[in-house]
Amino acid sequence: MPNQSSTQALSTQTSSSLVALTVSPAKVIRGAGVLISAAGEIARLGTRPLIVAGDRTLKISQESLQSIFQAENLHTVTVSYGTDCCEASLKALREAAKEHQADVIIGVGGGKSMDTAKLVAHQLQLPVVTIPTSAATCAAWTALSNVYSEAGAFLYDVALSRCPDLLILDYDLIQTAPQRTLVAGIGDAIAKWYEASVSSGHLQQTLIIAAVQQARVLRDILLQKSEVALKEPGSETWQEVVDATVLLAGVIGGLGGAQCRTVAAHAVHNGLTHISGHGSIHGEKVAYGILVQLRLEEMIPGNQLAAAARQQLLKFYAEIGLPQKLSDLGLGNITLGELQTAAEIALDPHSDIHRLPFKVALEQLMAAMVSTTAPIDSNRIDKKGERVTGN
């Protein structure tokens, strides 16, 4: 497919490749209470929207959404995506869109809803509008959808031909979400620095340099402002953190491509979904995955800067409520077999973990996964999973 080859070209950045960037939505509208005034922008894209949302979103906001859309004479049908962006949901939604003769897809909700709506629109070659109801991910921005099993296990991702045609970020709508979702969004977004810097910090392409430096800015915003933002929902600082998690995090992946988007932290997330199901949300697993990645950097090449960064993050996580260890993800009673399953999936030959500048053995990854809160020491793990004294 054309978009897949474009993404591959972006990742490899060869001089003879055609580089096709999917940097941003065609239009972004943000502010408090902007959904009402932005409904007219949806009407420019189509008059028969299929609205894709989760059960919780439908229960809370279906009536208000319908009244807003009806004011613009939009003939809407709303369908739940179920429990995940999975093959069964995608098939049912494609059929619903065809039956309704939909001319635009609207995703309303969290990351799963965004991914599902974007992928259905991509498959049907229709415009798509994203209306996030939480700041848990940057999915409302990106040209990417993750597909899961019905049980919540990550299967694969799909590079889309473009970012959404319209993103509506209504702070009032975001503020109705549980605070846990913003905390998770902070964990997902701050991973951009720790992943992009290790995979792409040495590269010299102008836009990748820009992406890595924006990831640094994103990290600094979140470290400095998250605690205050969580104490003052709706405040200017809170809005800045929401912008960071939903918008700026998306910009980084758009400019830098896949190699700036995910490395070991997201690979660990993918592995955990096969043993935890829906027990924790995306950004929480990614946040834990950052600690695993830093632990690997600390143990294998003996990177003491990674050790210091891990200690800094442990303090930050404690302040805002992000998970520091497996038990914080509800996996305190994990078996050795389950741990090995998650690690094996994270180490799949096609996994993003291989963007690390060193090889990781199964025993090393398992050791890192159970030692994310370990104190700094001068030891590291060799290829057999045994400790050796560092220099």
Side-chain angles (χ1 to χ4, degrees):
M1 297 170 65
N3 60 298
Q4 291 176 325
S5 61
S6 297
T7 302
Q8 184 179 9
L10 179 60
S11 300
T12 57
Q13 294 289 320
T14 57
S15 58
S16 60
S17 297
L18 173 65
V19 178
L21 291 171
T22 49
V23 177
S24 71
K27 190 166 191 176
V28 177
I29 299 174
R30 65 186 177 97
V34 297
L35 181 55
I36 295 175
S37 58
E41 294 294 333
I42 299 174
R44 297 175 187 272
L45 296 171
T47 59
R48 299 185 62 83
L50 178 79
I51 302 173
V52 176
D55 293 333
R56 177 185 175 277
T57 299
L58 291 177
K59 185 177 180 180
I60 294 174
S61 57
Q62 185 171 12
E63 288 187 11
S64 59
L65 287 173
Q66 289 290 353
S67 62
I68 291 170
F69 297 148
Q70 285 174 0
E72 293 293 333
N73 295 317
L74 299 178
H75 303 285
T76 62
V77 166
T78 305
V79 183
S80 171
Y81 67 83
T83 57
D84 237 310
C85 179
C86 61
E87 293 287 0
S89 295
L90 292 164
K91 180 180 178 182
L93 289 165
R94 288 194 302 269
E95 293 173 352
K98 291 174 182 177
E99 182 178 347
H100 178 57
Q101 297 182 327
D103 53 8
V104 61
I105 307 295
I106 303 175
V108 183
K112 308 280 190 186
S113 177
M114 302 294 102
D115 280 356
T116 307
K118 291 186 299 182
L119 187 47
V120 169
H122 173 79
Q123 292 169 337
L124 297 177
Q125 297 184 321
L126 293 175
V128 62
V129 178
T130 52
I131 306 174
T133 59
S134 79
T137 74
C138 60
W141 181 283
T142 61
L144 185 77
S145 288
N146 293 318
V147 179
Y148 296 78
S149 72
E150 293 183 53
F154 174 83
L155 298 178
Y156 59 91
D157 57 41
V158 180
L160 309 176
S161 56
R162 65 181 188 277
C163 293
D165 298 272
L166 174 64
L167 189 166
I168 303 172
L169 180 62
D170 189 322
Y171 297 129
D172 291 345
L173 194 57
I174 298 291
Q175 201 173 341
T176 66
Q179 181 162 278
R180 177 189 179 189
T181 59
L182 179 55
V183 173
I186 292 166
D188 189 34
I190 205 168
K192 291 290 187 290
W193 163 250
Y194 299 95
E195 294 188 297
S197 61
V198 74
S199 69
S200 307
H202 63 288
L203 299 177
Q204 296 302 309
Q205 292 92 340
T206 299
L207 293 182
I208 292 181
I209 291 172
V212 173
Q213 292 308 311
Q214 286 187 356
R216 185 198 299 270
V217 171
L218 174 59
R219 177 204 62 182
D220 292 346
I221 289 171
L222 295 176
L223 289 176
Q224 295 166 14
K225 298 186 177 183
S226 292
E227 189 174 8
V228 172
L230 293 167
K231 291 176 181 176
E232 301 175 0
S235 66
E236 183 176 336
T237 300
W238 177 88
Q239 291 181 4
E240 291 167 355
V241 170
V242 169
D243 284 351
T245 61
V246 179
L247 308 181
L248 182 53
V251 172
I252 293 162
L255 280 179
Q259 63 196 44
C260 281
R261 191 181 298 124
T262 57
V263 187
H266 277 80
V268 168
H269 160 276
N270 295 343
L272 289 176
T273 63
H274 287 256
I275 61 172
S276 66
H278 299 99
S280 54
I281 55 182
H282 176 82
E284 293 170 339
K285 290 190 280 287
V286 171
Y288 161 80
I290 302 170
L291 300 177
V292 175
Q293 176 177 308
L294 290 171
R295 189 74 175 124
L296 289 170
E297 294 178 59
E298 179 184 352
M299 294 190 309
I300 300 174
N303 186 339
Q304 291 305 298
L305 289 177
R310 182 171 60 84
Q311 294 301 318
Q312 179 189 34
L313 281 186
L314 286 171
K315 181 176 183 295
F316 176 64
Y317 285 13
E319 290 170 349
I320 69 170
L322 281 169
Q324 303 178 39
K325 52 190 183 297
L326 285 168
S327 60
D328 296 336
L329 294 169
L331 296 171
N333 295 321
I334 187 174
T335 66
L336 183 62
E338 289 171 329
L339 180 68
Q340 181 171 334
T341 294
E344 286 174 344
I345 291 167
L347 287 169
D348 179 88
H350 302 291
S351 170
D352 295 328
I353 200 170
H354 302 299
R355 293 194 175 104
L356 287 171
F358 50 84
K359 298 291 185 182
V360 179
L362 177 64
E363 296 83 0
Q364 293 170 325
L365 179 55
M366 292 173 67
M369 291 176 70
V370 297
S371 62
T372 50
T373 59
I376 294 179
D377 57 39
S378 59
N379 293 335
R380 64 184 188 272
I381 304 296
D382 67 14
K383 292 183 179 180
K384 296 180 181 179
E386 298 174 350
R387 290 191 176 276
V388 296
T389 302
N391 295 325

